[in-house]
Amino acid sequence: MKALVSVKRAVDYNVRIQVKPDGSGVVTDGVKHSMNPFDEIAMEEAVRLKEKGVISEIIAVTIGGQKNEETLRTALAFGATRAIHVKEDGEIQPLTAARALAAVFKKESADILLCGKQAIDDDANQTGQMTAALLDIAQATFASKVDIADGKATVIREVDAGLETLEIDLPAVITADLRLNEPRYLKLPDIMKAKRVQIEATNLGDLGVEAAPAIKVTKTAPPPARSKGVMVKTVDELAAMLKQKGLV
Amino acid sequence: MSKILIVADHANGKLNSGVAKVMAVAQAIGGDVDIVVFSDDSKAVAEQAAKINGTAKALTVDNAANANLMGAVLAPQVVALVKGGYTHVLFCGNALGKDTAPRVAALLGVPQVSDIMAVHSATSFDRPTYAGNAITTVECPEGTIVATVRLASFDAVAEDGSASVEAASVSATLPSHTRYQGLQAQKSDRPDLQSAGKVVSGGRALGSSDNFKIIFDFADKIGAGVGASRAAVDSGYVPNDMQVGQTGKIIAPDLYIACGISGAIQHLAGIKDAKVIVAINKDADAPIFEVADIGLVGDLFTLLPELQSKL
Amino acid sequence: MSIERDVMEYDVVIVGAGPSGLGAAIRLKQMAADAGQELNVCLVEKGSEVGAHILSGAVFEPRALQELIPDWKEKGAPLRAAVTGDEMHMLRSAESSYKFPNWMVPKTMHNEGNYVISLGNLCRWLGEQAEAMGVEVYPGFAAQEVLFNDAGAVVGVQVGDLGVSANGEHKPDFAPGMELRAKYTLFAEGCRGHLGKRLIRQFKLDAEVDPQHYGIGLKEVWEVPAEKHKPGLVVHGAGWPLDDANPGGWFLYHAEDQKVFVGLIVDLSYENPWLSPFDEFQRLKHHPVLKAHLEGGKRISYGARALAKGGFNSLPQMVFPGGALIGCDLGTMNFSKIKGSHTALKSGMIAGEAFAGALFKGAEGGDALQAYPEAFKASWLWDELYRSRNWGPAMHKFGTLFGGAFNYIDQNIFGGKLPFTLHDRRPDHATLKTAAEAKKIEYPKPDNILSFDKLSSVFLSSTNHEEDQPVHLKLADPSIPIAKNLPKYAEPAQRYCPAGVYEVVGEGEDQRFQINAQNCVHCKTCDIKDPAQNITWVAPEGNGGPNYAGM
């Protein structure tokens, strides 16, 4: 069984986001980037499935500019067997990404696409679902547990009311939530080996994919600051306010 | 003129309270608004939807496949309805909405807007990126607008309307690749910190592990989750998984009560999306009071039990 | 229990991706390319990426970079704000000041031809150049131990284990640190590197020189309104709020993109244990001279780092069997210019050339390669450091004003070549008066506009450490902080630490010394200034520490 794992290069989760003073976006120059943490979880899950013998090949895919190669190297250090770089310098929105992933998925005759539930830069939470729709296959989003057997996946999903279980036929798309697993430390020897792997390059044209219509970002602003509220003098006042707001 | 379709979330015969908030967005966009209820037996839920002010029609789509809502099964049905002439289709920004909306958008060949938090026009919205640290204003291209709504950003509209309930006919091929197996409801005596509607947190001022009992007792009384500041965790009072803040959990409860927490900025980063922040602290100059909606200066060891007895 | 470790062999292993480490790595690869030879060079960096732990003013003198990569401009090196003006102020009180006319400013403090840069960004760029040339760069891995052979020569380093819990047990994801073995190992950890410190001690490299002297530099990055921004303006000053017994100086540089870098360097020879460098910095920003630049702006980043400023007189031996010290690990900063980046870069380049030369001749390592110090002594770097040798001691001996006057005469009239050398032989940890003797300092409360508290500041450094790991600030004797330092010096760690790592909590019998290791910005001040020399800074798990952006 073959798994595709899509990995995105995003501003590192430790970085405090700075909005540019002219409102044209956030500062990304000279800022640490790393693999989207939810994609790391997806990657880890793929490696665990491979260790269990459920899947035999893990292909990491990324879409973006030259620097995304680092992200593929990280995926290789995790344990991806191959890495495909869909080279595109412009901004890639979810629908275009989904078209590219669907094309790679078909070309590779993959059985499963694992990806993070969302990327921590645009927070869209769309690409996995869109890819499943384009391929007309099943999806299980927000996965917190995955079992694969007999051409089917049983997935526990984190939904608002609790944990939902779905059974889906493969091929399918599974998007990883935070609690699916805890990604391992990358070991230096694995990182060293990953440096020597040949990355396969392609682009949207080669994949026969047309960029989708895009949403235009017209302004980026920092979130409004919280304003100071009221000070109460007594517990009675506080209790009354909480009751009045229907909070207790 | 916009024609807007809201896809209703519901469970156990009850309409999700988020739908009335999505209506607030639909009204801000302006136009005719229908709410569609997919179920194996939609009528009762549709009647609740019909009461939401601003609803033109509450549509029902009955199908055994809709007994439990799943994005992959809903999407082709929503697409069939939308092709009947809607300009916008809106979902709650919750697990179901996020599961379904992208699938609908992909089938329609249009991009999707996630987590609308403000409406500028029928095609322009604000949405959060970078975990809410950068708010972007977006302009949608031509075509149907598919979007989810960040429920925390809107108040529900009133529910004293009386729209008609109509059955909608939907012809779509439904997939068989996805089967619902069941739901295990969140069962915990104390709600999970990350998803709790109310959270009570303690800081360094608690002074010891034992003293944290006062926080747990109070939280149990009001059915809240329990968190802690990094200072309290570093002091070894409580385990690290209770830490709220930039390096801990980032939470957005309806009510956050900070007890003996000074409000270091790294802590505030974890609670900035809380709806109402209450702060109880000895130090009237504590930075937490700069962001608290309600502040009370005093000793938490006397104030908290007193508050507990009054609720 | 012995742990099985992977081993990798290189020609040269470099510890630390700052200007000296990267300069050495690039020079090694350039030499190899020129000679048509193969050299395997590995560089490990404890920060989460190259640049994450770099903090400097910085006004950068491009001389060494020009030699290393002559087409740096075409290759997009981030030197974009050429210096457009120099100012120097003496602050006389919280309100008043004196601006020096240009002719009175020592020559070394002139900055025509220099650039206001983020050294972190320059290192990121140098890191890309190095990788493109085939240097293996591994950020996120801290060199934890020096490896020796039976003959006592350095043969590489071992990187830190990952996945060790706070109480020292192996967690399920334990990954043993790898051994990186090399013919030669270059230590480029920056000021007070934890391995460099051990090597200096073990090989007695500083036996014949003055003790190293240090400062702590605190820096903030501000974004100011466009109308206040004067790209390339360089402002320096001294005086208030410090004094001759507790000296220091400040800087304020206008960089590109509406950014202003403001910082204070406090000499770690300060005497008053009540002094808090952090709070001095916070109140300094309220002085009208600085406030004028910052008002209406927004603070976006904060950090701190110790600097080694002893210069020529404190320069230890550079080599030992199997390796060498370079950059601030050695102590190549020119404090008369308050610049160490070009000198660090140059020292790395000199070392790179020397070690490449030896390897081409078939060297197998294990020796103290004299070609490096010989080339160092023949270079402009040696000359530059020699000329500045009296700067620091003069300031210590004569105070800011008279020391400044001495330095003016020394630098402008004699070009640093006065026929005598001033020495300063008291180490910085031995300068504190007792708390009882010293005047207690009451610092004003931060206003959250120009000044801030420590924790909100540390937040802006994006500092993060894996929580469940052993504390990386080791106390040789855990009783000293409360039993000795507290009564005698009111435990100064609470104040000299710029990140709130050290606290004395509790009352009476319950009083204890708490170490919030997670806050640590890796500045090394505690390792330097603790009067009992009881605190040893060791590298925490890789990736830990600040995540400076644009510092």
mmCIF file with all atom_site columns, all heavy atoms in Angstrom, chain C residues 337-356:
data_model
loop_
_atom_site.group_PDB
_atom_site.id
_atom_site.type_symbol
_atom_site.label_atom_id
_atom_site.label_alt_id
_atom_site.label_comp_id
_atom_site.label_asym_id
_atom_site.label_entity_id
_atom_site.label_seq_id
_atom_site.pdbx_PDB_ins_code
_atom_site.Cartn_x
_atom_site.Cartn_y
_atom_site.Cartn_z
_atom_site.occupancy
_atom_site.B_iso_or_equiv
_atom_site.pdbx_formal_charge
_atom_site.auth_seq_id
_atom_site.auth_comp_id
_atom_site.auth_asym_id
_atom_site.auth_atom_id
_atom_site.pdbx_PDB_model_num
ATOM 1   N N   . LYS C 1 337 ? 35.483 49.708 19.124 1.00 0.00 ? 337 LYS C N   1
ATOM 2   C CA  . LYS C 1 337 ? 34.514 50.002 18.066 1.00 0.00 ? 337 LYS C CA  1
ATOM 3   C C   . LYS C 1 337 ? 33.129 49.476 18.453 1.00 0.00 ? 337 LYS C C   1
ATOM 4   O O   . LYS C 1 337 ? 32.196 49.611 17.674 1.00 0.00 ? 337 LYS C O   1
ATOM 5   C CB  . LYS C 1 337 ? 34.932 49.318 16.764 1.00 0.00 ? 337 LYS C CB  1
ATOM 6   C CG  . LYS C 1 337 ? 36.194 49.859 16.114 1.00 0.00 ? 337 LYS C CG  1
ATOM 7   C CD  . LYS C 1 337 ? 36.432 49.086 14.811 1.00 0.00 ? 337 LYS C CD  1
ATOM 8   C CE  . LYS C 1 337 ? 37.615 49.661 14.041 1.00 0.00 ? 337 LYS C CE  1
ATOM 9   N NZ  . LYS C 1 337 ? 37.885 48.846 12.831 1.00 0.00 ? 337 LYS C NZ  1
ATOM 10  N N   . ILE C 1 338 ? 33.038 48.868 19.628 1.00 0.00 ? 338 ILE C N   1
ATOM 11  C CA  . ILE C 1 338 ? 31.905 48.026 20.009 1.00 0.00 ? 338 ILE C CA  1
ATOM 12  C C   . ILE C 1 338 ? 31.455 47.150 18.846 1.00 0.00 ? 338 ILE C C   1
ATOM 13  O O   . ILE C 1 338 ? 30.275 47.047 18.535 1.00 0.00 ? 338 ILE C O   1
ATOM 14  C CB  . ILE C 1 338 ? 30.681 48.780 20.590 1.00 0.00 ? 338 ILE C CB  1
ATOM 15  C CG1 . ILE C 1 338 ? 30.727 50.254 20.276 1.00 0.00 ? 338 ILE C CG1 1
ATOM 16  C CG2 . ILE C 1 338 ? 30.526 48.533 22.078 1.00 0.00 ? 338 ILE C CG2 1
ATOM 17  C CD1 . ILE C 1 338 ? 29.472 50.973 20.755 1.00 0.00 ? 338 ILE C CD1 1
ATOM 18  N N   . LYS C 1 339 ? 32.410 46.518 18.218 1.00 0.00 ? 339 LYS C N   1
ATOM 19  C CA  . LYS C 1 339 ? 32.091 45.628 17.098 1.00 0.00 ? 339 LYS C CA  1
ATOM 20  C C   . LYS C 1 339 ? 32.860 44.328 17.230 1.00 0.00 ? 339 LYS C C   1
ATOM 21  O O   . LYS C 1 339 ? 34.057 44.323 17.479 1.00 0.00 ? 339 LYS C O   1
ATOM 22  C CB  . LYS C 1 339 ? 32.481 46.282 15.770 1.00 0.00 ? 339 LYS C CB  1
ATOM 23  C CG  . LYS C 1 339 ? 31.553 47.377 15.352 1.00 0.00 ? 339 LYS C CG  1
ATOM 24  C CD  . LYS C 1 339 ? 31.938 47.876 13.980 1.00 0.00 ? 339 LYS C CD  1
ATOM 25  C CE  . LYS C 1 339 ? 31.226 49.165 13.675 1.00 0.00 ? 339 LYS C CE  1
ATOM 26  N NZ  . LYS C 1 339 ? 31.593 50.248 14.601 1.00 0.00 ? 339 LYS C NZ  1
ATOM 27  N N   . GLY C 1 340 ? 32.164 43.237 17.024 1.00 0.00 ? 340 GLY C N   1
ATOM 28  C CA  . GLY C 1 340 ? 32.847 41.952 17.074 1.00 0.00 ? 340 GLY C CA  1
ATOM 29  C C   . GLY C 1 340 ? 32.504 41.086 15.885 1.00 0.00 ? 340 GLY C C   1
ATOM 30  O O   . GLY C 1 340 ? 33.039 39.996 15.740 1.00 0.00 ? 340 GLY C O   1
ATOM 31  N N   . SER C 1 341 ? 31.590 41.557 15.034 1.00 0.00 ? 341 SER C N   1
ATOM 32  C CA  . SER C 1 341 ? 31.124 40.685 13.946 1.00 0.00 ? 341 SER C CA  1
ATOM 33  C C   . SER C 1 341 ? 32.170 40.537 12.858 1.00 0.00 ? 341 SER C C   1
ATOM 34  O O   . SER C 1 341 ? 32.436 39.431 12.390 1.00 0.00 ? 341 SER C O   1
ATOM 35  C CB  . SER C 1 341 ? 29.839 41.242 13.338 1.00 0.00 ? 341 SER C CB  1
ATOM 36  O OG  . SER C 1 341 ? 28.876 41.441 14.334 1.00 0.00 ? 341 SER C OG  1
ATOM 37  N N   . HIS C 1 342 ? 32.773 41.674 12.464 1.00 0.00 ? 342 HIS C N   1
ATOM 38  C CA  . HIS C 1 342 ? 33.759 41.562 11.379 1.00 0.00 ? 342 HIS C CA  1
ATOM 39  C C   . HIS C 1 342 ? 35.014 40.854 11.878 1.00 0.00 ? 342 HIS C C   1
ATOM 40  O O   . HIS C 1 342 ? 35.648 40.116 11.135 1.00 0.00 ? 342 HIS C O   1
ATOM 41  C CB  . HIS C 1 342 ? 34.094 42.941 10.789 1.00 0.00 ? 342 HIS C CB  1
ATOM 42  C CG  . HIS C 1 342 ? 34.858 43.845 11.708 1.00 0.00 ? 342 HIS C CG  1
ATOM 43  N ND1 . HIS C 1 342 ? 34.310 44.371 12.856 1.00 0.00 ? 342 HIS C ND1 1
ATOM 44  C CD2 . HIS C 1 342 ? 36.142 44.314 11.647 1.00 0.00 ? 342 HIS C CD2 1
ATOM 45  C CE1 . HIS C 1 342 ? 35.230 45.128 13.456 1.00 0.00 ? 342 HIS C CE1 1
ATOM 46  N NE2 . HIS C 1 342 ? 36.348 45.109 12.744 1.00 0.00 ? 342 HIS C NE2 1
ATOM 47  N N   . THR C 1 343 ? 35.333 41.045 13.160 1.00 0.00 ? 343 THR C N   1
ATOM 48  C CA  . THR C 1 343 ? 36.532 40.402 13.694 1.00 0.00 ? 343 THR C CA  1
ATOM 49  C C   . THR C 1 343 ? 36.288 38.899 13.864 1.00 0.00 ? 343 THR C C   1
ATOM 50  O O   . THR C 1 343 ? 37.161 38.086 13.579 1.00 0.00 ? 343 THR C O   1
ATOM 51  C CB  . THR C 1 343 ? 36.941 41.035 15.028 1.00 0.00 ? 343 THR C CB  1
ATOM 52  O OG1 . THR C 1 343 ? 35.815 41.070 15.900 1.00 0.00 ? 343 THR C OG1 1
ATOM 53  C CG2 . THR C 1 343 ? 37.452 42.454 14.831 1.00 0.00 ? 343 THR C CG2 1
ATOM 54  N N   . ALA C 1 344 ? 35.076 38.547 14.305 1.00 0.00 ? 344 ALA C N   1
ATOM 55  C CA  . ALA C 1 344 ? 34.745 37.122 14.446 1.00 0.00 ? 344 ALA C CA  1
ATOM 56  C C   . ALA C 1 344 ? 34.790 36.442 13.085 1.00 0.00 ? 344 ALA C C   1
ATOM 57  O O   . ALA C 1 344 ? 35.371 35.366 12.922 1.00 0.00 ? 344 ALA C O   1
ATOM 58  C CB  . ALA C 1 344 ? 33.363 36.963 15.067 1.00 0.00 ? 344 ALA C CB  1
ATOM 59  N N   . LEU C 1 345 ? 34.162 37.088 12.102 1.00 0.00 ? 345 LEU C N   1
ATOM 60  C CA  . LEU C 1 345 ? 34.141 36.531 10.744 1.00 0.00 ? 345 LEU C CA  1
ATOM 61  C C   . LEU C 1 345 ? 35.575 36.328 10.258 1.00 0.00 ? 345 LEU C C   1
ATOM 62  O O   . LEU C 1 345 ? 35.930 35.265 9.731  1.00 0.00 ? 345 LEU C O   1
ATOM 63  C CB  . LEU C 1 345 ? 33.373 37.495 9.827  1.00 0.00 ? 345 LEU C CB  1
ATOM 64  C CG  . LEU C 1 345 ? 33.142 37.074 8.385  1.00 0.00 ? 345 LEU C CG  1
ATOM 65  C CD1 . LEU C 1 345 ? 32.379 35.763 8.314  1.00 0.00 ? 345 LEU C CD1 1
ATOM 66  C CD2 . LEU C 1 345 ? 32.352 38.161 7.632  1.00 0.00 ? 345 LEU C CD2 1
ATOM 67  N N   . LYS C 1 346 ? 36.416 37.357 10.494 1.00 0.00 ? 346 LYS C N   1
ATOM 68  C CA  . LYS C 1 346 ? 37.804 37.286 10.025 1.00 0.00 ? 346 LYS C CA  1
ATOM 69  C C   . LYS C 1 346 ? 38.556 36.158 10.735 1.00 0.00 ? 346 LYS C C   1
ATOM 70  O O   . LYS C 1 346 ? 39.306 35.411 10.091 1.00 0.00 ? 346 LYS C O   1
ATOM 71  C CB  . LYS C 1 346 ? 38.492 38.630 10.272 1.00 0.00 ? 346 LYS C CB  1
ATOM 72  C CG  . LYS C 1 346 ? 39.949 38.693 9.847  1.00 0.00 ? 346 LYS C CG  1
ATOM 73  C CD  . LYS C 1 346 ? 40.124 38.602 8.340  1.00 0.00 ? 346 LYS C CD  1
ATOM 74  C CE  . LYS C 1 346 ? 41.610 38.694 7.954  1.00 0.00 ? 346 LYS C CE  1
ATOM 75  N NZ  . LYS C 1 346 ? 41.794 38.484 6.509  1.00 0.00 ? 346 LYS C NZ  1
ATOM 76  N N   . SER C 1 347 ? 38.342 36.013 12.028 1.00 0.00 ? 347 SER C N   1
ATOM 77  C CA  . SER C 1 347 ? 39.073 34.962 12.743 1.00 0.00 ? 347 SER C CA  1
ATOM 78  C C   . SER C 1 347 ? 38.689 33.590 12.200 1.00 0.00 ? 347 SER C C   1
ATOM 79  O O   . SER C 1 347 ? 39.528 32.705 12.051 1.00 0.00 ? 347 SER C O   1
ATOM 80  C CB  . SER C 1 347 ? 38.820 35.049 14.250 1.00 0.00 ? 347 SER C CB  1
ATOM 81  O OG  . SER C 1 347 ? 37.522 34.589 14.577 1.00 0.00 ? 347 SER C OG  1
ATOM 82  N N   . GLY C 1 348 ? 37.413 33.429 11.878 1.00 0.00 ? 348 GLY C N   1
ATOM 83  C CA  . GLY C 1 348 ? 36.965 32.164 11.297 1.00 0.00 ? 348 GLY C CA  1
ATOM 84  C C   . GLY C 1 348 ? 37.605 31.919 9.938  1.00 0.00 ? 348 GLY C C   1
ATOM 85  O O   . GLY C 1 348 ? 38.025 30.794 9.619  1.00 0.00 ? 348 GLY C O   1
ATOM 86  N N   . MET C 1 349 ? 37.684 32.994 9.160  1.00 0.00 ? 349 MET C N   1
ATOM 87  C CA  . MET C 1 349 ? 38.288 32.858 7.825  1.00 0.00 ? 349 MET C CA  1
ATOM 88  C C   . MET C 1 349 ? 39.765 32.462 7.925  1.00 0.00 ? 349 MET C C   1
ATOM 89  O O   . MET C 1 349 ? 40.247 31.602 7.186  1.00 0.00 ? 349 MET C O   1
ATOM 90  C CB  . MET C 1 349 ? 38.150 34.179 7.064  1.00 0.00 ? 349 MET C CB  1
ATOM 91  C CG  . MET C 1 349 ? 36.720 34.491 6.660  1.00 0.00 ? 349 MET C CG  1
ATOM 92  S SD  . MET C 1 349 ? 36.456 36.252 6.304  1.00 0.00 ? 349 MET C SD  1
ATOM 93  C CE  . MET C 1 349 ? 37.638 36.537 5.000  1.00 0.00 ? 349 MET C CE  1
ATOM 94  N N   . ILE C 1 350 ? 40.462 33.120 8.876  1.00 0.00 ? 350 ILE C N   1
ATOM 95  C CA  . ILE C 1 350 ? 41.893 32.807 9.042  1.00 0.00 ? 350 ILE C CA  1
ATOM 96  C C   . ILE C 1 350 ? 42.052 31.339 9.443  1.00 0.00 ? 350 ILE C C   1
ATOM 97  O O   . ILE C 1 350 ? 42.891 30.618 8.908  1.00 0.00 ? 350 ILE C O   1
ATOM 98  C CB  . ILE C 1 350 ? 42.530 33.729 10.109 1.00 0.00 ? 350 ILE C CB  1
ATOM 99  C CG1 . ILE C 1 350 ? 42.480 35.190 9.639  1.00 0.00 ? 350 ILE C CG1 1
ATOM 100 C CG2 . ILE C 1 350 ? 43.970 33.310 10.405 1.00 0.00 ? 350 ILE C CG2 1
ATOM 101 C CD1 . ILE C 1 350 ? 42.841 36.204 10.722 1.00 0.00 ? 350 ILE C CD1 1
ATOM 102 N N   . ALA C 1 351 ? 41.201 30.913 10.390 1.00 0.00 ? 351 ALA C N   1
ATOM 103 C CA  . ALA C 1 351 ? 41.269 29.522 10.830 1.00 0.00 ? 351 ALA C CA  1
ATOM 104 C C   . ALA C 1 351 ? 40.939 28.582 9.673  1.00 0.00 ? 351 ALA C C   1
ATOM 105 O O   . ALA C 1 351 ? 41.613 27.566 9.467  1.00 0.00 ? 351 ALA C O   1
ATOM 106 C CB  . ALA C 1 351 ? 40.318 29.300 12.005 1.00 0.00 ? 351 ALA C CB  1
ATOM 107 N N   . GLY C 1 352 ? 39.910 28.917 8.916  1.00 0.00 ? 352 GLY C N   1
ATOM 108 C CA  . GLY C 1 352 ? 39.506 28.092 7.783  1.00 0.00 ? 352 GLY C CA  1
ATOM 109 C C   . GLY C 1 352 ? 40.667 27.885 6.818  1.00 0.00 ? 352 GLY C C   1
ATOM 110 O O   . GLY C 1 352 ? 40.947 26.758 6.374  1.00 0.00 ? 352 GLY C O   1
ATOM 111 N N   . GLU C 1 353 ? 41.362 28.988 6.513  1.00 0.00 ? 353 GLU C N   1
ATOM 112 C CA  . GLU C 1 353 ? 42.502 28.902 5.591  1.00 0.00 ? 353 GLU C CA  1
ATOM 113 C C   . GLU C 1 353 ? 43.594 28.021 6.176  1.00 0.00 ? 353 GLU C C   1
ATOM 114 O O   . GLU C 1 353 ? 44.151 27.153 5.490  1.00 0.00 ? 353 GLU C O   1
ATOM 115 C CB  . GLU C 1 353 ? 43.076 30.296 5.320  1.00 0.00 ? 353 GLU C CB  1
ATOM 116 C CG  . GLU C 1 353 ? 42.259 31.076 4.323  1.00 0.00 ? 353 GLU C CG  1
ATOM 117 C CD  . GLU C 1 353 ? 42.638 32.557 4.285  1.00 0.00 ? 353 GLU C CD  1
ATOM 118 O OE1 . GLU C 1 353 ? 43.811 32.883 4.543  1.00 0.00 ? 353 GLU C OE1 1
ATOM 119 O OE2 . GLU C 1 353 ? 41.737 33.362 4.019  1.00 0.00 ? 353 GLU C OE2 1
ATOM 120 N N   . ALA C 1 354 ? 43.902 28.257 7.450  1.00 0.00 ? 354 ALA C N   1
ATOM 121 C CA  . ALA C 1 354 ? 45.012 27.540 8.070  1.00 0.00 ? 354 ALA C CA  1
ATOM 122 C C   . ALA C 1 354 ? 44.725 26.036 8.128  1.00 0.00 ? 354 ALA C C   1
ATOM 123 O O   . ALA C 1 354 ? 45.571 25.215 7.770  1.00 0.00 ? 354 ALA C O   1
ATOM 124 C CB  . ALA C 1 354 ? 45.267 28.089 9.469  1.00 0.00 ? 354 ALA C CB  1
ATOM 125 N N   . PHE C 1 355 ? 43.504 25.689 8.551  1.00 0.00 ? 355 PHE C N   1
ATOM 126 C CA  . PHE C 1 355 ? 43.198 24.266 8.696  1.00 0.00 ? 355 PHE C CA  1
ATOM 127 C C   . PHE C 1 355 ? 43.043 23.588 7.339  1.00 0.00 ? 355 PHE C C   1
ATOM 128 O O   . PHE C 1 355 ? 43.437 22.429 7.169  1.00 0.00 ? 355 PHE C O   1
ATOM 129 C CB  . PHE C 1 355 ? 41.972 24.068 9.590  1.00 0.00 ? 355 PHE C CB  1
ATOM 130 C CG  . PHE C 1 355 ? 42.293 24.264 11.045 1.00 0.00 ? 355 PHE C CG  1
ATOM 131 C CD1 . PHE C 1 355 ? 42.093 25.485 11.669 1.00 0.00 ? 355 PHE C CD1 1
ATOM 132 C CD2 . PHE C 1 355 ? 42.875 23.233 11.779 1.00 0.00 ? 355 PHE C CD2 1
ATOM 133 C CE1 . PHE C 1 355 ? 42.419 25.675 13.007 1.00 0.00 ? 355 PHE C CE1 1
ATOM 134 C CE2 . PHE C 1 355 ? 43.211 23.413 13.113 1.00 0.00 ? 355 PHE C CE2 1
ATOM 135 C CZ  . PHE C 1 355 ? 42.986 24.638 13.731 1.00 0.00 ? 355 PHE C CZ  1
ATOM 136 N N   . ALA C 1 356 ? 42.503 24.320 6.364  1.00 0.00 ? 356 ALA C N   1
ATOM 137 C CA  . ALA C 1 356 ? 42.416 23.738 5.019  1.00 0.00 ? 356 ALA C CA  1
ATOM 138 C C   . ALA C 1 356 ? 43.823 23.437 4.509  1.00 0.00 ? 356 ALA C C   1
ATOM 139 O O   . ALA C 1 356 ? 44.085 22.348 3.987  1.00 0.00 ? 356 ALA C O   1
ATOM 140 C CB  . ALA C 1 356 ? 41.680 24.692 4.081  1.00 0.00 ? 356 ALA C CB  1
#
